[in-house]
Amino acid sequence: MEAFKIKIQPTNRPAIIKFEANKFLTRKQNYEFKNVDEAKNSPLAKQLFYLPFTKTVYISGNFVAIERYDIVEWPDVQNEVAEQIENYLNSGEPVIIEDENTPSKIPVTVYAESTPNPAALKFVCNKKLVLATYEFKNIEEAKDSPLATGLFHFPFVKEVFIDENYISILKYDIAQWDDIVVELREYIRLHIEEGKDIVNEDATAKAKSTKSQTTTAANNKSVDTANLDDTSKQIVDILEEYVKPAVASDGGNILFQSYDESSKTVNVILQGACSGCPSSTFTLKNGIENMLKSMLNDKVNEVVAING
């Protein structure tokens, strides 16, 4: 099983800092503790209150956030706190001890959203579902995702793409969205509400090993740029900052694959609703390609899209 790792994330409030884990800490609800007595059902939060500067502890999804008193500054103590949280999580001790008052079901909202691809629909959830990006082309590929496996039992589901808080589904032409959207939305909602796994540990490990073996990221928010040349790093930064947010809003994802300096060609991989989308080529040629040409001067001649 993969070890917990903690990443420090500042917030827009100087007194509060987030310690993000690479795995979920809780799924059923969010927790806020204002003192050690309130933290009786959270051994982790209780331990953090032994730090004299801890004012409030928040636990939600894959992170712990701490609000401090003004007796210290975060840069002076944040690394030690991150190490303490990481060691606690890897000890195997519980983050939350559930009691009879803990809800058995997770309140969740799911709504359907159209995409530029008429064969794809995006189902958006008000909860974080995964910490990485997953694309499944068939039921065999989906063996490590209980949710995707269930969706492939619908005969009209062609592909499943899961990102942070949404699922994009590509369908076969045998069905119309008006006839199946309610059924799919309810299936997804009930799966999440009942606390079933979206992806299991094997799927997470597989996604992260894929990241390490290629120069693209399984996680849609980061790319391993250690072995890339300077131009490739610039391209990755542009895609991450300017392109990915827009593509994600359409239910898809774009990954940098390679850059050929001799031909000045950039290869990218399209996922989710963008994969095979009729408007993808138009978008690339008139959007991403022009952007890269403009921002990188004469370093880019062409962008080639590969469907994931």
Side-chain angles (χ1 to χ4, degrees), residues 13-41:
R13 294 179 58 184
I16 299 177
I17 200 165
K18 287 171 66 175
F19 299 89
E20 287 191 353
N22 56 331
K23 295 190 281 187
F24 281 98
L25 308 179
T26 177
R27 284 187 179 272
K28 288 193 174 181
Q29 64 183 92
N30 304 326
Y31 299 88
E32 178 180 344
F33 307 106
K34 292 188 177 297
N35 53 60
V36 70
D37 289 336
E38 289 184 4
K40 62 184 178 183
N41 289 335

Side-chain angles (χ1 to χ4, degrees), residues 181-192:
V181 63
V182 173
E183 185 178 11
L184 288 172
R185 186 182 64 212
E186 282 304 292
Y187 179 84
I188 293 169
R189 186 185 66 79
L190 288 173
H191 185 101
I192 300 168

Side-chain angles (χ1 to χ4, degrees), residues 4-262:
F4 279 96
K5 294 182 180 178
I6 293 296
K7 182 170 62 175
I8 299 169
Q9 292 283 14
T11 71
N12 56 7
R13 294 179 58 184
I16 299 177
I17 200 165
K18 287 171 66 175
F19 299 89
E20 287 191 353
N22 56 331
K23 295 190 281 187
F24 281 98
L25 308 179
T26 177
R27 284 187 179 272
K28 288 193 174 181
Q29 64 183 92
N30 304 326
Y31 299 88
E32 178 180 344
F33 307 106
K34 292 188 177 297
N35 53 60
V36 70
D37 289 336
E38 289 184 4
K40 62 184 178 183
N41 289 335
S42 174
L44 173 57
K46 194 172 182 178
Q47 186 179 108
L48 292 171
F49 274 111
Y50 292 140
L51 301 172
F53 52 81
T54 298
K55 181 178 181 180
T56 309
V57 176
Y58 310 87
I59 301 177
S60 176
N62 69 315
F63 70 85
V64 177
I66 301 176
E67 182 180 9
R68 61 167 173 80
Y69 288 108
D70 291 337
I71 59 174
V72 297
E73 296 295 330
W74 275 122
D76 298 329
V77 296
Q78 62 188 26
N79 291 331
E80 289 80 1
V81 176
E83 184 178 0
Q84 180 177 334
I85 294 173
E86 190 173 286
N87 289 338
Y88 180 90
L89 295 174
N90 285 314
S91 73
E93 294 298 315
V95 175
I96 301 291
I97 299 174
E98 297 182 353
D99 56 26
E100 63 274 6
N101 296 320
T102 302
S104 59
K105 291 188 175 182
I106 305 169
V108 63
T109 301
V110 177
Y111 66 90
E113 195 174 90
S114 61
T115 76
N117 186 349
L121 208 60
K122 179 180 177 183
F123 295 85
V124 184
C125 179
N126 64 334
K127 298 283 184 182
K128 182 176 285 191
L129 304 176
V130 292
L131 304 179
T133 298
Y134 302 90
E135 184 173 49
F136 306 104
K137 297 288 190 179
N138 52 59
I139 195 169
E140 184 178 0
E141 289 185 3
K143 64 181 184 298
D144 292 326
S145 170
L147 175 57
T149 297
L151 289 170
F152 275 114
H153 282 95
F154 292 97
F156 41 76
V157 171
K158 182 180 181 181
E159 297 177 18
V160 177
F161 176 80
I162 307 176
D163 205 346
E164 187 168 338
N165 72 323
Y166 69 86
I167 301 103
S168 287
I169 297 177
L170 275 72
K171 69 171 181 66
Y172 288 106
D173 292 337
I174 59 172
Q176 299 300 314
W177 284 121
D178 288 345
D179 300 326
I180 61 177
V181 63
V182 173
E183 185 178 11
L184 288 172
R185 186 182 64 212
E186 282 304 292
Y187 179 84
I188 293 169
R189 186 185 66 79
L190 288 173
H191 185 101
I192 300 168
E193 185 181 78
E194 292 171 2
K196 297 178 181 178
D197 287 341
I198 308 300
V199 295
N200 60 27
E201 288 288 332
D202 291 335
T204 301
K206 180 180 178 182
K208 292 186 176 177
S209 67
T210 299
K211 174 181 173 181
S212 65
Q213 291 166 8
T214 69
T215 56
T216 62
N219 187 317
N220 72 321
K221 289 189 173 179
S222 61
V223 172
D224 183 5
T225 60
N227 299 316
L228 298 183
D229 59 77
D230 289 342
T231 301
S232 294
K233 290 178 181 179
Q234 289 178 295
I235 294 168
V236 168
D237 289 341
I238 293 170
L239 293 177
E240 294 283 325
E241 183 174 356
Y242 298 103
V243 180
K244 279 196 175 186
V247 173
S249 69
D250 288 335
N253 191 34
I254 184 168
L255 300 177
F256 171 81
Q257 186 187 52
S258 64
Y259 168 69
D260 187 315
E261 186 176 3
S262 60

Side-chain angles (χ1 to χ4, degrees), residues 289-306:
E289 187 175 285
N290 289 338
M291 179 185 294
L292 291 176
K293 286 180 178 179
S294 173
M295 299 180 77
L296 296 177
N297 299 318
D298 61 347
K299 294 180 181 179
V300 173
N301 279 340
E302 184 183 14
V303 172
V304 176
I306 303 166

